[in-house]
Amino acid sequence: MNHALLASTEFVPPTTKDFSKWFEEGNWWLGPWQVGPFEFGLNFIYFLVLMALATYLLFFFFAFRKPKVVPGKLQLVAEMGMDFVKENTAMSMIGPRGVAYLGLLSALFFWILAGNIYEIIPGVNFSMNSRLAFPTVVALVAYFAYHAAGIRQHGFFGYLKHSLILPGVPPLLLPLMFLIEFITVFITRPLTLAVRLFANMVAGHFLLSVFFLGTVGMLFSGKVLLMAFSPFAGALAIALVGFELFVAGLQAFIFAVLTASYIGQSIAEDH
Amino acid sequence: MRFALGIIAALSDEGLKAIGKGLVYGLAAIGPGIGIGVLMGKSVEAMARQPEYAGQVRGIMFIGIGLIEALALFGFVLSFII
């Protein structure tokens, strides 16, 4: 959230500039340094990535540092999370063979959750996943994972045949179905994975910004009617924080579950 | 007709762009809205008929919501791009 806007009392609606301003001149905390074609440096977004990484690593380090038979509080939470991912993605989408992919799926789930959760942490209020680059990287991991799983199961040409040519399709329809399946498997799946996560986080940020900034703007507008309604906007804003917490978990879960279902379709023996 | 053309001629490029953005998101939300409605209705029906399978149905329901939601979100993202 734009803190300069919070300090001023005039309501300025949030725009897409909120998401790109950190890459402009003067908004870098360190750097940027030019290394070949890439720019490296530290700004708010990269700081958030480091924060998410620290959250993720420290949580599992302290949860599983000394695993006990009777788990402590933190270990219990981590075990429940792992069990949730195992039951709901690996087992239900792939079946018993899916336990082999539990590492990938739980890493995806907890990494995305660690990134998303910063959207509602007071004082940060920004998710790294509302920059398209980071969901794209995670979607590419899922993309390569389900292709690799399919190729390992069926061989390269076997996998292409398995995923592109559906059995029981009339020969006349085959070219059309081939085209549709090709676009689905190789283009829309990773695209929708990345864009779904990205757009949800952007929309959530806009929603929270509008309600919180609107509450402040209405409260200090000096008009009696607007001031009377601002507590309701504030109450709804607080309820929406809960909703965004739900969305953050749901998006992480949907990402993991869809990856699992794509892997399951890749390694299935028959349709 | 002439009246409508007159209004369109009076609009600036900026105004037309704003109308386009609104239309993109609004139209993109119609189909997924119907889809999520049907999906949720059927899920509730299934859960009411077979309460013992409620957990399983809920899991599949969330996957469906995720798949449908992507279409509406494409419209949301496109409205910022244009």
Side-chain angles (χ1 to χ4, degrees), chain A residues 19 22-23 43-56 107-121 124-139 194 197-202 205 248 252:
Chain A
F19 299 90
W22 297 101
F23 290 87
N43 63 13
F44 181 56
I45 314 276
Y46 290 124
F47 178 69
L48 278 182
V49 177
L50 294 179
M51 290 279 281
L53 188 64
T55 316
Y56 176 83
L108 287 177
F109 177 79
F110 286 108
W111 168 247
I112 293 169
L113 188 62
N116 284 355
I117 216 80
Y118 279 96
E119 194 183 19
I120 55 160
I121 303 259
V124 182
N125 285 63
F126 199 91
S127 165
M128 68 171 197
N129 287 327
S130 44
R131 292 286 309 184
L132 187 51
F134 300 107
T136 306
V137 170
V138 190
L197 180 56
F198 159 74
N200 263 294
M201 288 301 111
V202 171
H205 180 82

Side-chain angles (χ1 to χ4, degrees), chain A residues 12-192:
Chain A
V12 183
T15 60
T16 42
K17 265 189 85 73
D18 288 8
F19 299 90
S20 57
K21 66 175 180 178
W22 297 101
F23 290 87
E24 284 165 10
E25 204 67 36
N27 274 327
W28 291 83
W29 293 353
L30 287 176
W33 302 287
Q34 196 81 29
V35 182
F38 304 108
E39 259 187 351
F40 288 98
L42 186 67
N43 63 13
F44 181 56
I45 314 276
Y46 290 124
F47 178 69
L48 278 182
V49 177
L50 294 179
M51 290 279 281
L53 188 64
T55 316
Y56 176 83
L57 289 180
L58 287 177
F59 176 69
F60 281 108
F61 175 73
F62 283 111
F64 292 132
R65 185 177 44 168
K66 286 183 230 139
K68 299 187 193 78
V69 180
V70 180
K73 277 177 199 154
L74 203 60
Q75 194 191 340
L76 187 69
V77 172
E79 278 184 3
M80 274 168 66
M82 292 296 285
D83 204 50
F84 172 77
V85 175
K86 183 185 168 194
E87 287 304 318
N88 287 294
T89 66
M91 291 300 273
S92 72
M93 285 293 130
I94 312 180
R97 281 193 300 168
V99 180
Y101 299 95
L102 185 59
L104 172 77
L105 297 173
S106 59
L108 287 177
F109 177 79
F110 286 108
W111 168 247
I112 293 169
L113 188 62
N116 284 355
I117 216 80
Y118 279 96
E119 194 183 19
I120 55 160
I121 303 259
V124 182
N125 285 63
F126 199 91
S127 165
M128 68 171 197
N129 287 327
S130 44
R131 292 286 309 184
L132 187 51
F134 300 107
T136 306
V137 170
V138 190
L140 280 178
V141 169
Y143 183 63
F144 285 118
Y146 74 79
H147 284 316
I151 288 170
R152 203 171 62 179
Q153 180 78 20
H154 300 287
F156 183 71
F157 292 104
Y159 172 62
L160 285 185
K161 182 174 173 292
H162 168 82
S163 59
L164 297 181
I165 299 173
L166 303 179
V169 177
L172 267 179
L173 276 178
L174 209 55
L176 190 65
M177 290 305 289
F178 182 85
L179 199 64
I180 292 174
E181 286 294 309
F182 183 82
I183 291 174
T184 307
V185 172
F186 287 97
I187 298 168
T188 41
R189 273 182 186 179
L191 194 72
T192 48

Side-chain angles (χ1 to χ4, degrees), chain A residues 16 93 192 195-196 198-200 202-203 206 250-251 254 257-258, chain B residues 55 59-60 62-63 65-70 73-74 76-77 80:
Chain A
T16 42
M93 285 293 130
T192 48
V195 170
R196 179 182 300 117
F198 159 74
N200 263 294
V202 171
F206 276 141
L250 183 68
Q251 287 310 312
I254 281 179
V257 99
L258 284 178
Chain B
I60 298 170
F62 280 132
I63 299 168
I65 288 178
L67 286 173
I68 296 171
E69 191 188 41
L73 290 170
F74 274 139
F76 176 73
V77 173
F80 290 117

Side-chain angles (χ1 to χ4, degrees), chain A residues 237-266:
Chain A
I238 291 165
L240 281 173
V241 170
F243 175 69
E244 285 306 317
L245 177 65
F246 168 71
V247 167
L250 183 68
Q251 287 310 312
F253 173 64
I254 281 179
F255 201 101
V257 99
L258 284 178
T259 307
S261 105
Y262 295 157
I263 290 174
Q265 283 174 33
S266 296

